[in-house]
Amino acid sequence: MIIGSQFGDEGKGKLVDCLAEQSDCVVRYQGGNNAGHTVVVKNQVFKLHLLPSGVVRKKRSLIGTGVSLDPRVLKQEIDGLKKQGIEVNLGIDPRCQLIMPWHNVIDIGKEEALKEKNIGTTRRGVGPCYADRASRIGIRFDDLIDEKRLREKIDFNYPYYKNLCEKILGKKFDFTQEEVFKQYSALGKEFKEMLTDVSIEVNECLDKGKKVLFEGAQGTLLDNDFGTYPFVTSSHPTSGAATTGIGIAPQKLSGRIIGIVKAYTTRVGSGPFPSEISGEEADALRNAGNEFGTTTGRARRVGWLDLPMLRMTHRLNGFTEIAITKLDVLSGIKKLFIADSYTIEGKKVFEFPYANHLTEKAKPNYTEFKGFVLDTLERKELKEKGYSVLDENAKKYLEFIEKKLNVPIKTVSFGAERDDTLTKD
Ligand code: IMP
Ligand code: MG
């Protein structure tokens, strides 16, 4: 299982791609096309939002019920991959909730209504789609593939939301009811063959001892309960969510749970971020790490590595190991910092606070590290000889994290390419 330990964008796509090769199938179980996973294979760049990254490796790829599915985006992604020479082998759970055009309108309208308190969503309609699931008026993939059922659902939802959007949010629909029906029923015809009971398929795989890769999207600090609510996403980007988002029992998850930790911290959208930095130092880090959103293109906020944050995400997810990503981005920075604790109202705390009014007061207590250089030459050596040749200062940085969290770092990624990765024992 691959889990984002920070605010998303930890570089999960690359790790999923590396592990997909050894897996029999790859499953997504939460989030939607708010995610953005970049996979680079031999100079070919794949940008995925909805499809499990395993599709690039032509593996059996599954979308579990916990995913909110935009069939318009699904079509774009499948067609795009076809152009890049990839045929997808995809199964979709019939229970998946669909993102409908009005969900995008609500997502945008609500953000505008919140004014300066807006969440900074990706505007993909993911939140409103999950809200419909909870309020039991959602439309599911199973409805998409049956014209009668689809029409019935749209007959209720379209006028209901048109009214709400126009009267309350002041947003006009630029699509008619018939247009939505036609577009979605055509998509249903196209994807009909992909229907599979993902719960049954994954359980059978596990029972036969096959290798299943669970691909988490977003990061744990964006969890709907445990993240920096309300500046969070609408799903649970945690390991436990795989049980409900696919339909498997907790004791079946006996394998590796890999926490993906970027060597520093970034966040897109609003909300607390105690170790955030600004000015030239931040610009340099942002540019070196190309920290601009895959989904929205927004400049990401950047900061130092934060251990109170990671202590919480380890507690919530039970990492059996950590993969550090983007270590190369820190190359050339003279002094590096890791926040080991916070001071909140004069008290030293090691755990991430449960509420934003506390987190906003948190002053990070930093440990300083000497910088290191990881340029082309050093990376070439690393690829050939592995961890032992890594700069001593970089080793100190990594070993501090391991010691403080008491979880082994097993993988270190130091570039976008697949082989810019080393295994550490
Ligand atoms: P939503 O998921 O589009 O509703 O956005 C809610 C918050 O989660 C916003 O701050 C987004 O920027 C953030 N978010 C959602 N998906 C991702 C992701 O894949 N990576 C990073 N941030 C994300
Ligand atoms: Mg991303």
Side-chain angles (χ1 to χ4, degrees):
M1 188 177 291
I2 299 282
I3 298 289
S5 68
Q6 293 150 322
F7 292 103
D9 307 314
E10 297 92 354
K12 297 180 289 295
K14 181 188 155 175
L15 264 293
V16 172
D17 176 58
C18 289
L19 288 166
E21 198 127 82
Q22 312 153 27
S23 310
D24 298 298
C25 84
V26 183
V27 202
R28 267 198 64 181
Y29 56 88
Q30 46 77 226
N33 58 300
N34 47 353
H37 290 169
T38 309
V39 181
V40 184
V41 187
K42 302 238 180 299
N43 295 325
Q44 217 185 352
V45 180
F46 300 93
K47 292 209 181 226
L48 302 170
H49 299 285
L50 180 58
L51 287 168
S53 305
V55 291
V56 173
R57 296 279 149 203
K58 301 177 179 140
K59 295 288 169 165
R60 175 68 172 157
S61 301
L62 297 168
I63 296 182
T65 180
V67 170
S68 50
L69 180 93
D70 189 328
R72 300 164 297 177
V73 174
L74 186 65
K75 179 165 170 55
Q76 275 170 17
E77 274 189 14
I78 292 175
D79 290 351
L81 283 175
K82 222 176 248 170
K83 281 194 197 123
Q84 288 186 284
I86 307 264
E87 283 293 332
V88 305
N89 174 4
L90 181 71
I92 303 168
D93 195 278
R95 305 167 186 89
C96 277
Q97 297 280 330
L98 299 183
I99 297 181
M100 303 299 294
W102 42 86
H103 290 139
N104 300 92
V105 181
I106 301 164
D107 205 348
I108 295 165
K110 243 192 208 166
E111 285 283 274
E112 286 173 6
L114 282 166
K115 298 205 178 88
E116 68 283 356
K117 292 201 165 117
N118 74 74
I119 292 155
T121 74
T122 60
R123 306 185 157 209
R124 299 297 186 266
V126 173
C129 174
Y130 280 123
D132 276 1
R133 175 175 78 182
S135 61
R136 291 149 298 172
I137 56 169
I139 308 182
R140 311 216 280 186
F141 183 65
D142 182 50
D143 302 317
L144 184 72
I145 59 174
D146 179 288
E147 289 203 343
K148 189 166 164 284
R149 279 198 302 270
L150 183 65
R151 199 176 272 288
E152 257 170 40
K153 298 275 164 122
I154 291 179
D155 279 351
F156 172 78
N157 280 269
Y158 184 95
Y160 178 85
Y161 277 123
K162 187 170 161 50
N163 214 357
L164 186 133
C165 287
E166 285 183 2
K167 299 222 172 104
I168 297 177
L169 299 174
K171 288 263 156 206
K172 284 227 163 2
F173 278 10
D174 59 0
F175 42 84
T176 66
Q177 185 164 335
E178 201 49 32
E179 279 165 3
V180 177
F181 175 76
K182 278 205 182 118
Q183 184 185 23
Y184 274 65
S185 62
L187 291 165
K189 285 199 186 84
E190 195 162 339
F191 299 138
K192 205 172 187 153
E193 300 305 313
M194 294 181 178
L195 186 146
T196 183
D197 191 319
V198 170
S199 168
I200 294 178
E201 194 171 329
V202 172
N203 272 282
E204 279 174 3
C205 276
L206 293 171
D207 292 344
K208 285 182 191 146
K210 288 192 177 174
K211 284 198 177 128
V212 182
L213 182 61
F214 300 90
E215 177 177 343
Q218 285 88 41
T220 304
L221 268 296
L222 293 175
D223 183 271
N224 200 231
D225 281 302
F226 289 96
T228 52
Y229 191 91
F231 304 105
V232 294
T233 194
S234 301
S235 65
H236 300 288
T238 50
S239 56
T243 63
T244 52
I246 294 168
I248 44 175
Q251 67 269 35
K252 289 227 168 142
L253 297 175
S254 55
R256 298 159 72 189
I257 301 178
I258 309 175
I260 312 300
V261 177
K262 182 146 63 181
Y264 49 97
T265 313
T266 63
R267 157 163 224 172
V268 249
S270 329
F273 182 172
S275 64
E276 184 169 15
I277 55 175
S278 59
E280 274 171 30
E281 199 183 24
D283 293 341
L285 188 56
R286 184 178 304 110
N287 291 328
N290 191 23
E291 297 296 352
F292 300 89
T294 318
T295 301
T296 57
R298 286 180 286 176
R300 295 177 185 143
R301 299 158 64 192
V302 299
W304 301 117
L305 194 75
D306 182 319
L307 291 179
M309 209 178 259
L310 295 177
R311 264 181 212 108
M312 174 176 83
T313 56
H314 176 41
R315 169 161 48 85
L316 298 177
N317 292 296
F319 299 139
T320 58
E321 62 186 86
I322 280 174
I324 296 283
T325 62
K326 300 184 96 164
L327 187 67
D328 56 305
V329 174
L330 298 180
S331 168
I333 302 177
K334 297 267 169 341
K335 285 178 187 172
L336 302 169
F337 298 90
I338 296 180
D340 182 33
S341 64
Y342 301 144
T343 299
I344 302 177
E345 292 175 332
K347 277 203 198 105
K348 199 169 186 180
V349 297
F350 289 88
E351 292 290 341
F352 196 80
Y354 58 79
N356 291 348
H357 59 86
L358 297 170
T359 313
E360 275 150 11
K361 291 181 199 138
K363 300 264 172 298
N365 300 312
Y366 289 114
T367 301
E368 188 182 316
F369 294 83
K370 284 197 193 107
F372 51 84
V373 173
L374 245 176
D375 286 341
T376 319
L377 188 73
E378 289 82 8
R379 279 162 54 186
K380 186 168 173 284
E381 243 213 320
L382 265 185
K383 276 187 222 185
E384 284 160 13
K385 299 184 187 143
Y387 189 76
S388 63
V389 297
L390 183 66
D391 185 296
E392 284 307 314
N393 290 343
K395 279 186 183 161
K396 279 189 191 137
Y397 187 84
L398 296 179
E399 285 159 21
F400 183 80
I401 303 167
E402 275 186 318
K403 193 169 135 248
K404 289 287 176 178
L405 296 177
N406 197 21
V407 188
I409 293 173
K410 293 247 172 112
T411 312
V412 180
S413 161
F414 49 89
E417 284 281 348
R418 217 176 173 213
D419 58 356
D420 288 329
T421 316
L422 63 83
T423 320
K424 169 180 174 301
D425 3 74

